Amino acid sequence: MRTTFDFAPLWRSTIGLDHLADLVDSALRQAPEDNYPPYNIERTSEDHYQISLAVLGFGVDDVTVTAEQNALIIEGRKPESGAREYLYQEIAARPFRRVFNLAEYVQVKQASFRDGLLVIDLVREVPEAMKPRKIRIANGASPTSQIEQEKAA
């Protein structure tokens, strides 16, 4: 199912969100992806997140976690272990690649294995310069004279 969106109304009232349309468009273009391995995304507090992937059968050396600009890439590959004869095999240990798009200022803090899960902790750290701040309103004086008065004080 291919759906197209008209982002023209969005562009009339926003500035600097052009990457949002590209992100939505690329998500719609992707073929239905494999759901392996299953994962959860959890918000643990206001600016903290956690991704848990069920990687049963994989070890620490079989999985790589790479943080790139605005992306988290998790790949797993089991080394070839010779010929085994399975009578029944349901535990999947096939290679996988998961890519998570990260918002601005979201950083990967750590990754660990717990009870067959790969747990990745993320945090959003907005720089002080980007946080909202109150702007002082001058009282009738010109901006340059206001600055001179503040320097004199």
Side-chain angles (χ1 to χ4, degrees), residues 141-152:
S142 69
T144 53
S145 66
Q146 184 74 22
I147 293 171
E148 291 171 3
Q149 290 176 3
E150 288 178 1
K151 286 183 181 177

Side-chain angles (χ1 to χ4, degrees), residues 36-42 49-67 72-77 96-100 108-122:
Y36 177 77
Y39 65 92
N40 292 335
I41 300 175
E42 179 182 358
Y49 305 90
Q50 193 171 72
I51 300 173
S52 302
L53 281 90
V55 289
L56 181 65
F58 286 87
V60 175
D61 296 331
D62 302 332
V63 178
T64 60
V65 178
T66 307
L72 171 64
I73 301 166
I74 304 166
E75 296 177 293
R77 181 173 301 280
F96 68 88
R97 177 183 165 98
R98 283 269 184 204
V99 179
F100 297 93
V108 178
K109 284 301 177 187
Q110 68 178 2
S112 60
F113 267 99
R114 292 185 216 150
D115 301 326
L117 296 175
L118 172 65
V119 178
I120 301 166
D121 294 312
L122 305 119

Side-chain angles (χ1 to χ4, degrees), residues 134-141 143 146 150:
K134 292 199 181 219
I135 307 299
R136 189 167 169 240
I137 301 172
N139 188 11
Q146 184 74 22
E150 288 178 1

Side-chain angles (χ1 to χ4, degrees), residues 7 11 24 30 48-49 76 104 110 112-113 130 136 138 149:
F7 289 102
W11 302 143
V24 170
Q30 290 177 353
H48 292 80
Y49 305 90
E104 287 184 308
Q110 68 178 2
S112 60
F113 267 99
M130 301 304 290
R136 189 167 169 240
Q149 290 176 3

